[in-house]
Amino acid sequence: MTTGFSSGSCRFADYFVICGLDTESGLEPDELSGENFEQSPLRRTFKSKVLAHYPDNVEWNPFDQDAVGMLCMPKGLSFRTQVDSREPQFHSFIITREDGSRTYGFALTFFEEVTSKQICSAMQTLYHMHNAEQYDILHTPTSPQGLEDQLRQHTQPRPMLHAAPAISRLQRFNSYDISRDTLYVSKCICLITPMAFAQACRKVLQQLHQAVTSPQPPPLPLESYIFNILYEVPLPPSGRSLKFSGVYGPVVCQRPSTSELPLFDFAISEMFNLLGVENVLQLFTCALLEMQILLYSQHYQRLMTVAESITALMFPFQWQHVYVPILPASLLHFLDAPVPYLMGLHSNGQDDRTKLELPQEANLCFVDIDNHFIELPEELPQFPNKLEFIQEISEVLMFFGVSPEGNIHSSDSQAKLQNLRSVDMVSDKCNGNLASPLNSFLLRENETIARLQALVKRTGVSLEKVREDASCNKDARVQCNEEELKMHQLNIQVREVFANRFTQMFADYEVFVIQPSQDKESWFTNRDQMQNFDKASFLSDQPEPYLPFLSCFLETQMFASFIDSKILCHDDEEKEHTLRVFDARVDKIRMLNVRTPTLRTSMYQKCTNIEEAEKAIEMRVSKIDHTALHPHLLDMKIGQGRYEQGFFPRLQSDVLSTGPTSNNFVLLCYRWTKRSAPAQWRRRDRQKQHAEHLYLDNDQREKYIQEARNLGTTIRQPKLSNLSPSVIAQTNWKFVEGLLKECRNKTKRMLVEKMGREAVELGHGEVSITGVEENTLIASLCDLLERIWSHGLQVKQGKSALWSHLLHYQESKEKKNATPGGLGPPGLIHDAERRKSDGGGSAMPPLKVSLIQDMRHIQNISEIKTDVGKARAWVRLSMEKKLLSRHLKQLLSDHELTKKLYKRYAFLRCDDEKEQFLYHLLSFNAVDYFCFTNVFTTIMIPYHVVVVPSKKLGGSMFTANPWVCVSGELAETGVLQVPRNTLEITFECQNLGKLTTVQMGHDNTGLYAKWLVECVVVRNGITGHTYKFPCGRWLGKGVDDGSLERILVGELMTPSTDNDERMCRTPPMQQSPGMMRRFVTISPNSKPNKLNTGQIQEGVGEAINGIVKHFHKPEKERGSLTLLLCGEYGLVWALEQVFQHGFKSPRLFKNVFIWDFLEKAQVYFESAEQREVTPDENWQTRVRHFCRFMRAINNTPRNIGKDGKFQMLVCLGARDHLLHHWIALLADCPITAQMYEDTALIKDRSLVNSLIRVLQTLQEFNITLEASLVKGIGI
């Protein structure tokens, strides 16, 4: 494409094309169209040819004969006889060039009588052969008549009702008898234009067709009109309207100015009529999240209208992937593309959805346009403010008489006002909206329609009045017809409502754009590694309900490209059109909004600039800016320009191949464009406002296209011209490279997000990942895996290609392992090393690594109903177990199976790429994911508990009955009795989440009820996560602190890995207790390692700091608060060190605990209160609180010992923000003077004051305690 200004770049049309039957080459079956030969010859497709195109070529848009021929007649030639319907059909299409710019085609297909005797004879011969074959197949002696006669009878109007079913099926298609029937064949005339003026092109083509079918010849030869449209009609400049002459009447087109939404000339109302608002919004959501979208209809124009409407509504974002609204039958293999796409597939109107075999459906949005039905991918997030949004769109549609539910029976021309027939809607059983589980307010019977009608009336407008108003407006000034004006008005209103949603949602997006620090050149080079938008901060500002949708949307290519273009242009002049318009709207909203720009609310704000946009269109239509030259006689030889009625002639190429010689037209175009737009927009005309790149110099733009586009140009648009096996192989190779690159980027992004702080220190972007965001990233990984597994499939089975492969593997392994020989369960790899751990390893034999076993776990979960759901759950489970790469490697090691399931070019059969892919997945082992446990919260999980008694004093003499109660972040088990002889128990219960505490104790029965326990180990039977709960204390009366039960705080044990899989691990989110605190008992025989005051202060500071950090994290990222309070070096341990410091040595053999000191203090305070020796009211309140808590803990029915009671007091004091008061009380208490040395920390006034200040920082946090910590306390 030339960048300079050329005379042609502002022509209305570049080419006029005629396609049809080439009588010289005869009938050629079109094998690529995939039709079978069982069909009657009249229903088969034959190859069409481009018969002529004028001019031969234009430099700015080289003619692509294959693409145009294929898209003008995507199903090839069709034949009809006089009994068939032969209405002309209009459709449009699009050709995307390699640089992303587009050319539009508008085609009118009609039928002409076949005059060639050879073609008619060929058709007759084909019928004889076909009938003979059918007769052999059917063997139906239903009547003495020959099959030929039966077929012939069917050409009369009434079908034979008594025929056998098989025969009647055969007869449904008319036969052809050369002696009696007239044969017709399809022909197509087409305009190729740089911009999509669909309505104008439709009129031009219809009038040309009318000229050859009407009895009277047109005023001028056809060449005059075609010459006029090709060479004498310019494109209207931005913000202007243009009128030119068709054969029988004027044609008007208008183009938006640079401050309005881009040009869009298809009827949006048709899409809403065909699908209904609810379905359109679901389809729109799928498109924004870049899912694979397949449109399905027997009308080409419907495919194009829906595709163009959906992409137009995305403003300011642009679809970045494969975009083929009409997929020619010869390119069906393109549905195998493992990339996001938006494609339209033609249906023959007979096959239903179930017969359509698609390579991949795990992430597919399937839209059956003709049947008002849409099939959505699983786990589709809801568009923000969906209900209010639907209501706003519905109000606009109803104002124009379009039913929000859609009206499938409406004609293609949707400009007529329609009465709302709610009865139709209720009886419409295949209505995708009514079946929708979302049960939107629009679908509840018909109350809403009535409500919306009432609402329209309240605004003072009845639907009848709309009709009257429209006709009143249609005075002499409006130059286009009423229907067209209505279409433009409805289009702009709906588009403004959609554009307003993005303007509201992204009103402050600029604040979060990360401007690159380096120059553009190095920015291009490192584009893949760069973060261009602060996603975490942006999401933290959004209302909670928006997050599922927004976190997915921010990961899309269209959002990344939008931000890239923002980064690349620094001033308004450089900005591309969509960005400039969007930024202007954002600025306007900011000025109107009183609220802080970054403070987001989910309050719905309706669109306010509809009227302004509508006025601009009405102005242009009522006051035409320019009238083009009228068609005129050309310099043709005598006898040229004649034609036969009913036949579109071969035109005179000598007069149509070159334009006018004078330069007037060029000057005229130049003057216009100069007047209406800056120079760069002239260069833009050719690319239309779809062009997605900024005005850099050519080399830079080319480089940007190559780098920033996801998978390179060939994948964005299939090459229509060359379909040789080598080209298909090359395309597939591009897919393989693209998938690998996407895998590399995804794994890197997920690791950087997950590793958080550590990654930030290494310079990899921001710390923080929300639960929503993690889910989004994992869902997109599942989607990538599905696309990889669907690439190059031989035969598709089920909706999930990955799950289908796993099932094949499971089946083959189970067959192999069915042979006797005691090899253990099928598919197991005996791998004790992997699961061995240093602590409770001996207490619990390691879980065996088994791909098949993990599949069985998923198959046993009744909540997961679909194959796609099972595949996703299996991926999540494998990631949580750090086995994803290993499992997939094992799955792919069965080469025979892979060969059986996949074609040679498939990704999974490219060995090097497959190895690299598995290596990228291996990097996930470096971080801990809980993506299975946290998502499937209601499933039943088997747990295995082992109590490990002390080795020195084994529990062989122990006579009491032990029990445990396991608690997690989601739930707790209740008391479970543990058999005394085995000290092991396996039970199943609803998912407990990450485990936090174990309460354990015994019933103090029998002769020897004293028990020294080392630890408790608990394992999740599905994820294999093993938690160790250290104890190291006695349970029994008269031993240790006399406790019969203890609360143990656990930590996740990290498995040691094999050498080949050893990866660096991220440090845990907070320090976990390796050993439970061993409370120091002071006795003359045991001198503990005492900490000095500095160390104790540091310990308290660290413990408080951990809690403060915990509360500063987003809620979904917080770890366990119980660990921070009661775990190793937690708050309880730190305060214990404070009270241990300087504690006086007691009498021989008598253990004294901190609780003894606190009880003495309580007695003192209570007696002081009775004596009313009270310094002040504050003191009284604190004392009352302290004594109340002490009494409650001492009166608890639980058998917890003195240290357990101290732990409980600290936890309750932290919860109620009383700890600093109690420290102050105890420091001044006379009992302290008796029981502590003079050097004790609690006696040092300055140290006590600093301790109080540190504890006061907990006041701002709302501390919620786990139920197990405060069970039995009624405060």
Side-chain angles (χ1 to χ4, degrees):
M1 269 165 70
T2 52
T3 39
F5 183 80
S6 67
S7 64
S9 61
C10 62
R11 286 183 194 169
F12 182 84
D14 289 338
Y15 295 99
F16 179 79
V17 185
I18 305 171
C19 294
L21 169 65
D22 183 358
T23 47
E24 287 168 22
S25 62
L27 281 185
E28 286 183 71
D30 190 0
E31 290 100 349
L32 283 173
S33 290
E35 294 293 350
N36 56 33
F37 287 102
E38 289 163 21
Q39 290 196 312
S40 71
L42 276 181
R43 291 290 166 264
R44 293 179 198 165
T45 54
F46 299 90
K47 279 185 185 169
S48 63
K49 297 268 172 73
V50 173
L51 303 176
H53 63 93
Y54 314 101
D56 277 342
N57 209 29
V58 293
E59 54 171 319
W60 59 87
N61 181 8
F63 188 73
D64 185 341
Q65 182 144 330
D66 297 289
V68 172
M70 223 179 250
L71 291 165
C72 278
M73 305 183 90
K75 289 288 253 190
L77 295 172
S78 303
F79 285 91
R80 299 275 188 274
T81 62
Q82 74 280 359
V83 297
D84 294 305
S85 148
R86 301 188 306 283
E87 282 298 305
Q89 293 291 327
F90 172 81
H91 79 272
S92 44
F93 58 85
I94 192 169
I95 298 172
T96 308
R97 284 189 287 270
E98 289 198 357
D99 67 350
S101 59
R102 295 174 174 183
T103 300
Y104 288 85
F106 299 94
L108 185 75
T109 307
F110 50 91
F111 285 87
E112 277 185 356
E113 189 179 329
V114 178
T115 51
S116 159
K117 289 279 183 286
Q118 291 97 318
I119 300 290
C120 294
S121 311
M123 185 57 77
Q124 178 80 70
T125 309
L126 284 172
Y127 254 99
H128 283 311
M129 289 161 65
H130 175 69
N131 290 344
E133 278 170 29
Q134 292 300 306
Y135 187 78
D136 289 347
I137 293 166
L138 293 170
H139 296 304
T140 36
T142 49
S143 72
Q145 294 177 291
L147 187 64
E148 196 71 25
D149 298 336
Q150 286 187 17
L151 282 165
R152 205 172 282 127
Q153 272 196 5
H154 185 55
T155 59
Q156 284 141 23
R158 293 190 59 196
M160 286 166 46
L161 299 173
H162 62 270
I167 297 253
S168 63
R169 197 157 56 244
L170 175 68
Q171 289 171 338
R172 195 176 300 147
F173 300 123
N174 297 337
S175 63
Y176 171 64
D177 182 340
I178 195 165
S179 60
R180 198 182 58 227
D181 293 329
T182 312
L183 190 63
Y184 294 86
V185 67
S186 56
K187 192 177 218 175
C188 172
I189 52 175
C190 168
L191 282 173
I192 303 291
T193 66
M195 296 182 81
F197 289 107
Q199 306 307 318
C201 291
R202 184 181 209 146
K203 274 189 187 166
V204 170
L205 294 172
Q206 283 171 341
Q207 292 187 22
L208 283 170
H209 177 247
Q210 192 185 337
V212 294
T213 49
S214 65
Q216 296 302 316
L220 294 168
L222 290 181
E223 282 84 351
S224 295
Y225 299 104
I226 291 164
F227 183 89
N228 179 251
I229 192 89
L230 285 178
Y231 301 112
E232 295 172 332
V233 177
L235 279 174
S238 298
R240 302 298 171 106
S241 53
L242 164 73
K243 183 156 92 177
F244 60 94
S245 303
V247 184
Y248 296 111
V251 179
V252 174
C253 60
Q254 51 92 27
R255 182 174 165 190
S257 71
T258 50
S259 62
E260 296 173 64
L261 293 178
L263 171 70
F264 180 75
D265 202 35
F266 294 84
I268 278 188
S269 59
E270 190 178 330
M271 174 175 71
F272 284 103
N273 261 311
L274 291 165
L275 295 174
V277 182
E278 168 93 14
N279 281 341
V280 166
L281 197 53
Q282 299 284 42
L283 169 58
F284 182 63
T285 308
C286 290
L288 287 172
L289 300 181
E290 297 184 335
M291 309 209 158
Q292 291 178 324
I293 295 170
L294 187 62
L295 309 174
Y296 191 61
S297 169
Q298 50 184 325
H299 303 277
Y300 293 119
Q301 188 54 18
R302 286 182 178 181
L303 295 172
M304 187 70 178
T305 301
V306 172
E308 283 289 283
S309 300
I310 281 294
T311 49
L313 293 176
M314 288 176 178
F315 171 90
F317 305 102
Q318 289 161 336
W319 180 259
Q320 299 291 323
H321 301 275
V322 176
Y323 181 70
V324 193
I326 295 172
L327 185 69
S330 54
L331 286 181
L332 282 183
H333 67 274
F334 225 80
L335 291 171
D336 199 12
V339 290
Y341 58 66
L342 202 167
M343 299 204 220
L345 189 61
H346 183 260
S347 77
N348 58 14
Q350 288 139 23
D351 292 348
D352 62 353
R353 162 76 177 94
T354 51
K355 290 190 185 156
L356 193 64
E357 285 214 352
L358 300 170
Q360 48 194 5
E361 295 180 55
N363 220 36
L364 180 75
C365 170
F366 180 83
V367 186
D368 186 345
I369 296 173
D370 302 337
N371 293 316
H372 202 84
F373 167 75
I374 182 166
E375 211 173 281
L376 295 168
E378 292 179 25
E379 298 174 24
L380 182 71
Q382 190 160 303
F383 192 79
N385 293 112
K386 184 179 166 190
L387 297 186
E388 296 95 324
F389 190 26
I390 285 180
Q391 183 161 359
E392 189 179 5
I393 302 164
S394 303
E395 285 165 20
V396 171
L397 293 175
M398 291 187 64
F399 187 86
F400 286 91
V402 177
S403 160
E405 263 66 29
N407 178 2
I408 189 156
H409 308 295
S410 60
S411 69
D412 278 12
S413 163
Q414 286 311 336
K416 302 181 192 111
L417 285 165
Q418 289 165 359
N419 293 323
L420 298 171
R421 292 179 55 204
S422 45
V423 186
D424 285 358
M425 193 197 81
V426 174
S427 63
D428 182 7
K429 290 282 180 281
C430 64
N431 178 326
N433 289 332
L434 296 181
S436 164
L438 291 158
N439 190 14
S440 108
F441 73 101
L442 271 173
L443 312 175
R444 292 197 202 108
E445 308 287 311
N446 297 299
E447 297 164 25
T448 322
I449 293 195
R451 242 191 2 263
L452 286 170
Q453 279 175 322
L455 194 145
V456 172
K457 279 191 185 129
R458 262 210 313 283
T459 58
V461 183
S462 72
L463 293 176
E464 285 69 30
K465 198 173 168 197
V466 175
R467 288 198 190 87
E468 288 162 30
D469 290 354
S471 52
C472 300
N473 286 342
K474 198 193 167 193
D475 53 21
R477 295 184 310 130
V478 175
Q479 302 285 325
C480 68
N481 67 25
E482 183 188 350
E483 286 185 5
E484 214 171 305
L485 179 62
K486 279 231 151 50
M487 184 205 86
H488 287 310
Q489 288 171 329
L490 172 60
N491 276 9
I492 200 66
Q493 288 201 19
V494 170
R495 290 176 70 203
E496 287 290 352
V497 168
F498 273 80
N500 177 57
R501 287 298 349 106
F502 289 120
T503 319
Q504 300 287 351
M505 261 191 277
F506 293 98
D508 49 359
Y509 84 100
E510 286 181 68
V511 183
F512 302 99
V513 174
I514 302 169
Q515 289 295 346
S517 46
Q518 68 273 64
D519 59 295
K520 280 186 186 175
E521 187 57 36
S522 33
W523 183 80
F524 280 140
T525 318
N526 303 308
R527 174 64 201 89
D528 279 349
Q529 282 79 44
M530 303 298 292
Q531 281 253 27
N532 64 1
F533 193 73
D534 184 354
K535 293 172 186 167
S537 307
F538 177 78
L539 289 172
S540 66
D541 268 3
Q542 302 305 311
E544 186 76 21
Y546 289 16
L547 294 180
F549 171 80
L550 280 177
S551 59
C552 294
F553 181 64
L554 297 190
E555 297 297 325
T556 59
Q557 183 70 26
M558 73 175 77
F559 184 75
S561 293
F562 174 73
I563 298 298
D564 284 352
S565 60
K566 178 74 183 169
I567 289 171
L568 282 166
C569 50
H570 296 296
D571 53 37
D572 265 6
E573 277 303 294
E574 277 186 331
K575 280 183 191 175
E576 67 169 85
H577 175 231
T578 45
L579 187 62
R580 192 187 315 178
V581 176
F582 185 69
D583 281 354
R585 286 161 179 246
V586 161
D587 294 343
K588 195 171 162 190
I589 272 199
R590 284 212 188 127
M591 283 164 66
L592 290 172
N593 279 357
V594 193
R595 62 183 176 75
T596 329
T598 50
L599 203 74
R600 311 298 291 146
T601 72
S602 51
M603 201 176 78
Y604 190 81
Q605 287 164 314
K606 288 176 89 165
C607 183
T608 52
N609 51 341
I610 287 180
E611 216 170 307
E612 191 184 323
E614 228 177 331
K615 268 188 191 145
I617 291 176
E618 282 163 19
M619 283 280 293
R620 283 195 291 275
V621 175
S622 56
K623 180 178 169 292
I624 299 295
D625 293 301
H626 183 69
T627 305
L629 285 173
H630 285 283
H632 50 85
L633 272 172
L634 301 173
D635 186 11
M636 290 165 73
K637 298 185 183 78
I638 293 169
Q640 287 186 337
R642 288 190 187 159
Y643 70 98
E644 200 181 331
Q645 188 195 337
F647 294 91
F648 201 92
R650 272 283 173 108
L651 301 168
Q652 303 304 315
S653 55
D654 51 348
V655 293
L656 291 178
S657 56
T658 51
T661 46
S662 90
N663 245 356
N664 297 349
F665 177 71
V666 181
L667 293 170
L668 174 73
C669 279
Y670 184 69
R671 199 163 57 246
W672 267 17
T673 319
K674 197 167 179 183
R675 186 181 63 191
S676 67
Q680 70 231 48
W681 295 108
R682 294 203 297 279
R683 303 204 293 272
R684 277 261 197 271
D685 280 346
R686 195 179 59 257
Q687 286 174 292
K688 188 175 171 283
Q689 292 150 350
H690 278 90
E692 288 137 345
H693 311 305
L694 306 158
Y695 271 96
L696 310 158
D697 65 47
N698 277 348
D699 294 344
Q700 276 185 312
R701 188 186 303 121
E702 280 309 307
K703 183 167 183 185
Y704 177 50
I705 290 164
Q706 294 303 325
E707 289 300 317
R709 291 281 175 229
N710 201 7
L711 296 175
T713 54
T714 38
I715 292 176
R716 292 190 59 229
Q717 180 70 11
K719 264 295 210 201
L720 302 182
S721 45
N722 184 349
L723 291 171
S724 65
S726 64
V727 169
I728 292 175
Q730 192 186 346
T731 306
N732 276 301
W733 183 244
K734 285 258 195 259
F735 285 147
V736 169
E737 287 180 333
L739 287 169
L740 187 61
K741 181 179 171 188
E742 197 181 338
C743 176
R744 185 175 65 241
N745 291 344
K746 273 210 165 70
T747 47
K748 180 179 173 186
R749 165 106 165 82
M750 289 171 74
L751 283 173
V752 166
E753 290 289 8
K754 190 71 182 166
M755 290 170 89
R757 194 177 309 101
E758 198 178 287
V760 173
E761 283 161 12
L762 299 170
H764 285 299
E766 284 299 307
V767 57
S768 136
I769 176 169
T770 62
V772 176
E773 210 174 339
E774 177 171 313
N775 255 341
T776 303
L777 293 172
I778 288 169
S780 75
L781 175 73
C782 293
D783 165 39
L784 173 66
L785 293 177
E786 282 295 355
R787 284 191 277 127
I788 287 175
W789 255 258
S790 344
H791 184 237
L793 259 182
Q794 297 273 20
V795 181
K796 184 178 161 295
Q797 296 170 329
K799 283 201 172 182
S800 165
L802 174 58
W803 190 248
S804 167
H805 192 167
L806 284 165
L807 289 173
H808 279 109
Y809 179 81
Q810 185 182 24
E811 195 183 331
S812 70
K813 282 287 171 263
E814 282 174 351
K815 271 182 194 162
K816 276 183 197 169
N817 288 309
T819 55
L823 294 172
L828 290 190
I829 299 176
H830 291 269
D831 187 3
E833 286 304 307
R834 190 181 189 309
R835 294 289 175 215
K836 196 180 289 173
S837 54
D838 47 3
S842 53
M844 202 174 279
L847 258 191
K848 297 195 174 71
V849 175
S850 163
L851 187 161
I852 305 280
Q853 192 55 48
D854 285 349
M855 280 185 71
R856 288 208 192 108
H857 285 315
I858 302 300
Q859 286 161 328
N860 292 337
I861 298 174
S862 56
E863 287 92 332
I864 307 173
K865 307 276 190 268
T866 63
D867 285 358
V868 176
K870 286 173 184 165
R872 289 189 167 197
W874 182 84
V875 170
R876 284 174 177 278
L877 177 59
S878 303
M879 280 189 75
E880 187 160 323
K881 294 176 87 163
K882 302 192 179 188
L883 290 172
L884 182 62
S885 178
R886 181 171 179 150
H887 276 348
L888 293 177
K889 188 175 183 176
Q890 192 184 335
L891 175 67
L892 296 171
S893 64
D894 188 337
H895 300 299
E896 286 307 306
L897 180 61
T898 312
K899 274 183 189 167
K900 190 173 105 184
L901 297 177
Y902 289 91
K903 296 171 186 157
R904 181 65 200 91
Y905 64 74
F907 181 96
L908 297 177
R909 290 187 63 186
C910 300
D911 292 339
D912 289 354
E913 282 66 28
K914 185 175 73 182
E915 284 304 313
Q916 287 183 56
F917 157 71
L918 292 170
Y919 179 75
H920 288 312
L921 293 185
L922 187 59
S923 59
F924 286 135
N925 292 6
V927 290
D928 297 327
Y929 278 101
F930 287 89
C931 49
F932 180 84
T933 304
N934 291 342
V935 168
F936 299 101
T937 52
T938 57
I939 63 171
M940 298 302 284
I941 290 184
Y943 290 93
H944 186 58
V945 180
V946 176
V947 181
V948 183
S950 164
K951 293 187 181 78
K952 293 173 193 164
L953 301 155
S956 53
M957 298 156 64
F958 178 58
T959 55
N961 299 301
W963 57 265
V964 293
C965 169
V966 184
S967 303
E969 289 181 355
L970 298 175
E972 69 165 50
T973 58
V975 170
L976 302 164
Q977 296 300 327
V978 181
R980 194 169 59 223
N981 49 353
T982 59
L983 295 181
E984 279 189 45
I985 175 176
T986 300
F987 61 92
E988 196 175 55
C989 70
Q990 193 169 312
N991 186 354
L992 299 172
K994 291 183 204 168
L995 302 188
T996 50
T997 60
V998 163
Q999 300 158 63
M1000 67 166 303
H1002 61 76
D1003 61 0
N1004 200 30
T1005 54
L1007 295 171
Y1008 190 76
K1010 298 184 174 79
W1011 195 27
L1012 181 58
V1013 176
E1014 192 178 302
C1015 66
V1016 177
V1017 182
V1018 184
R1019 184 174 67 205
N1020 177 321
I1022 292 182
T1023 66
H1025 284 321
T1026 306
Y1027 295 82
K1028 185 178 180 185
F1029 297 85
C1031 177
R1033 304 289 299 273
W1034 284 93
L1035 282 92
K1037 290 284 184 198
V1039 62
D1040 204 330
D1041 65 346
S1043 179
L1044 290 185
E1045 65 176 87
R1046 296 196 184 279
I1047 300 167
L1048 311 179
V1049 181
E1051 67 161 346
L1052 182 62
M1053 287 160 58
T1054 55
S1056 60
T1057 54
D1058 293 351
N1059 289 342
D1060 64 325
E1061 291 192 11
R1062 184 157 289 145
M1063 304 286 293
C1064 59
R1065 277 192 77 261
T1066 42
M1069 295 301 264
Q1070 64 269 316
Q1071 191 62 44
S1072 309
M1075 261 297 284
M1076 193 60 182
R1077 306 174 316 283
R1078 179 72 188 264
F1079 286 106
V1080 185
T1081 51
I1082 315 288
S1083 72
N1085 309 339
S1086 63
K1087 283 280 175 5
N1089 296 327
K1090 291 184 179 171
L1091 300 177
N1092 62 36
T1093 51
Q1095 290 169 321
I1096 293 171
Q1097 278 183 295
E1098 195 180 324
V1100 174
E1102 283 296 312
I1104 299 286
N1105 206 10
I1107 296 169
V1108 172
K1109 280 183 185 169
H1110 170 90
F1111 283 102
H1112 277 109
K1113 286 180 187 167
E1115 204 165 324
K1116 294 189 175 72
E1117 295 167 36
R1118 296 174 184 173
S1120 161
L1121 185 59
T1122 306
L1123 270 178
L1124 298 173
L1125 292 170
C1126 311
E1128 188 172 43
Y1129 308 123
L1131 183 63
V1132 173
W1133 172 85
L1135 289 180
E1136 184 184 78
Q1137 302 311 310
V1138 169
F1139 285 109
Q1140 294 281 16
H1141 189 258
F1143 211 32
K1144 282 185 180 169
S1145 296
R1147 292 195 309 278
L1148 205 59
F1149 306 125
K1150 174 91 165 79
N1151 290 349
V1152 177
F1153 294 85
I1154 298 170
W1155 191 252
D1156 297 327
F1157 156 67
L1158 295 173
E1159 281 181 323
K1160 286 185 179 174
Q1162 178 197 353
V1163 171
Y1164 166 78
F1165 289 137
E1166 284 173 344
S1167 63
E1169 261 196 304
Q1170 283 161 8
R1171 294 198 309 275
E1172 294 181 3
V1173 186
T1174 53
D1176 59 22
E1177 205 175 312
N1178 257 348
W1179 187 88
Q1180 272 183 308
T1181 314
R1182 289 171 190 179
V1183 161
R1184 238 176 277 143
H1185 274 138
F1186 177 73
C1187 296
R1188 186 162 66 98
F1189 278 90
M1190 290 290 292
R1191 281 195 298 274
I1193 292 169
N1194 269 327
N1195 296 338
T1196 176
R1198 293 171 66 184
N1199 291 304
I1200 50 174
K1202 293 176 178 177
D1203 286 337
K1205 290 176 180 176
F1206 174 72
Q1207 174 173 298
M1208 206 179 263
L1209 183 72
V1210 172
C1211 290
L1212 289 167
R1215 183 193 73 183
D1216 294 356
H1217 308 130
L1218 297 170
L1219 287 177
H1220 57 286
H1221 293 321
W1222 293 348
I1223 295 283
L1225 267 185
L1226 293 167
D1228 292 338
C1229 175
I1231 303 295
T1232 309
Q1234 293 168 23
M1235 295 188 72
Y1236 281 88
E1237 313 274 359
D1238 290 343
T1239 55
L1241 187 152
I1242 195 93
K1243 283 188 172 180
D1244 185 321
R1245 177 55 59 192
S1246 65
L1247 290 180
V1248 168
N1249 285 341
S1250 72
L1251 177 63
I1252 289 170
R1253 278 197 302 278
V1254 171
L1255 288 170
Q1256 278 174 328
T1257 55
L1258 294 181
Q1259 278 183 281
E1260 58 186 283
F1261 305 118
N1262 184 14
I1263 293 175
T1264 309
L1265 298 178
E1266 204 176 303
S1268 61
L1269 296 178
V1270 290
K1271 206 180 271 181
I1273 300 288
I1275 297 180

